[in-house]
């Protein structure tokens, strides 16, 4: 099992998937006694541009900017350069060797995570997109390649984390969305397919878990965070 010194408050990255900076701030204020790492994704970035990112960073917290850059190498390089002086800790990209290399060269102090296969994809979604590999093999292939190309880590489900941690070593950062409390069974009404609990993700080798709706839509977010953190502590080496 991997050894790490990540503080408990940074293990969960709360995904601020809301449509206004005010709502995002409300969630941060509610959670910051327990969580100091937040994810800004497409919805909030469209709603507030860099304002939310700057506000969270100025408050002393960490930000994962999850815009999943995918374009020709030069465009990705220029996009990464727009972000690399903002105090962002993690940014996400994906693509082939040339795209990843361009992003790595422009990353500055940020850590770059390559998206492997979305946690909302199952085997049938791969076939529907014309991909013949299994999810597990494609995630592993992309993670190995991302590491070789200089990426700091990957975004992957907790189901694939174990093989990556064992074969690719401790240097690779593994950040895991698709976290659902209490069950490792997929709910038909949920868009996420490759789900695990926070504890299972960490046990399998993830460094951080990304959690959105189970926390942001909970009546008592702190209670859910505390439960997940207990699960994480119990699952750490
Ligand atoms: O609400 P939920 O916990 O499903 O949110 C998961 C978050 O992680 C979302 O913001 C989603 O965009 C993000 N994400 C993901 N799967 C990936 C990469 C990012 O679910 N592979």
């Amino acid at each position: 099992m991997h050894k790490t010194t990540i503080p408990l408050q940074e293990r969960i990255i709360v995904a601020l998937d809301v449509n206004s900076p005010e709502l995002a701030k409300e969630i941060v204020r509610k959670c910051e006694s327990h969580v100091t790492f937040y994810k800004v994704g497409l919805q909030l970035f469209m709603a507030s541009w860099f304002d939310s990112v700057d506000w969270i960073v100025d408050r002393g917290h960490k930000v994962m900017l999850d815009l999943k850059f995918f374009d020709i190498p030069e465009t990705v390089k220029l996009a990464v350069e727009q972000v690399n002086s903002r105090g962002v800790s993690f940014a996400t990209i994906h693509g082939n060797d040339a795209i990843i290399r361009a992003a790595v060269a422009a990353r500055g102090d940020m850590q770059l995570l390559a998206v492997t296969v979305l946690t909302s994809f199952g085997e049938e979604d791969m076939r529907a997109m014309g991909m013949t590999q299994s999810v597990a093999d494609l995630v592993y292939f992309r993670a190995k390649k991302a590491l070789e190309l200089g990426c700091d880590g990957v975004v992957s489900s907790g189901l694939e984390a174990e093989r990556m941690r064992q074969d690719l070593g401790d240097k690779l950062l593994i950040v895991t969305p698709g976290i659902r409390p209490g069950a490792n069974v997929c709910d038909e009404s949920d868009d996420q397919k490759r789900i695990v609990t926070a504890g299972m993700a960490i046990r399998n080798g993830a460094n951080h878990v990304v959690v959105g709706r189970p926390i942001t839509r909970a009546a008592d977010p702190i209670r859910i965070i505390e439960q997940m953190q207990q699960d994480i502590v119990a699952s750490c080496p």
Side-chain angles (χ1 to χ4, degrees):
M1 209 175 279
H2 66 292
K3 297 215 172 7
T4 175
T5 52
I6 298 168
L8 187 58
Q9 293 94 323
E10 293 182 12
R11 287 290 200 163
I12 297 174
I13 302 175
V14 173
L16 299 171
D17 293 326
V18 289
N19 63 11
S20 78
E22 290 72 31
L23 277 175
K25 287 177 187 177
E26 212 177 284
I27 295 170
V28 173
R29 287 194 185 102
K30 226 182 260 176
C31 298
E32 66 188 349
S33 56
H34 288 63
V35 171
T36 57
F37 211 152
Y38 296 89
K39 184 170 90 69
V40 175
L42 290 172
Q43 185 187 22
L44 182 59
F45 195 75
M46 290 301 143
S48 62
W49 210 234
F50 275 106
D51 289 356
S52 296
V53 172
D54 294 344
W55 184 85
I56 299 165
V57 169
D58 288 348
R59 225 169 155 81
H61 302 320
K62 290 192 172 178
V63 170
M64 170 174 171
L65 186 61
D66 184 23
L67 301 177
K68 301 183 180 68
F69 292 141
F70 177 61
D71 209 310
I72 61 168
E74 180 67 7
T75 303
V76 168
K77 181 189 113 184
L78 296 174
V80 170
E81 281 175 359
Q82 288 294 312
V83 177
N84 72 8
S85 58
R86 291 272 176 174
V88 165
S89 298
F90 295 167
T92 55
I93 51 136
H94 64 117
N96 68 355
D97 293 18
I99 295 169
I100 293 179
R101 268 198 205 101
V104 166
R107 80 186 142 175
D109 292 336
M110 296 187 299
Q111 292 191 293
L112 269 192
L113 306 176
V115 176
T116 53
V117 175
L118 292 175
T119 43
S120 61
F121 280 13
E123 297 296 343
E124 64 289 2
D125 299 300
M126 304 275 290
R127 303 297 94 74
M129 292 186 71
M131 294 173 185
T132 50
Q133 265 173 309
S134 66
V135 171
D137 285 346
L138 187 55
V139 168
Y140 183 78
F141 174 81
R142 287 182 171 172
K144 190 164 180 287
K145 185 147 269 226
L147 194 60
E148 284 163 7
L149 293 168
C151 259
D152 301 282
V154 292
V155 184
S156 91
S157 97
L159 298 173
E160 298 94 35
E162 197 167 15
R163 178 176 171 198
M164 289 188 290
R165 182 60 68 211
Q166 268 170 13
D167 291 5
L168 303 179
D170 283 347
K171 213 176 136 239
L172 181 78
L173 264 173
I174 302 176
V175 177
T176 293
I179 300 298
R180 293 294 177 264
N184 292 321
V185 180
C186 200
D187 171 350
E188 289 285 301
S189 65
D190 198 335
D191 57 352
Q192 296 282 21
K193 291 192 183 144
R194 302 198 329 282
I195 60 168
V196 295
T197 60
M200 185 175 169
I202 298 294
R203 208 159 37 248
N204 284 355
N207 301 92
H208 301 268
V209 292
V210 171
V211 189
R213 290 161 290 184
I215 290 174
T216 57
R217 296 192 188 172
D220 185 353
I222 292 293
R223 195 175 62 84
I224 303 293
I225 290 170
E226 283 177 344
Q227 284 169 356
M228 284 189 179
Q229 288 180 332
Q230 280 162 17
D231 193 15
I232 288 170
V233 168
S235 304
C236 277

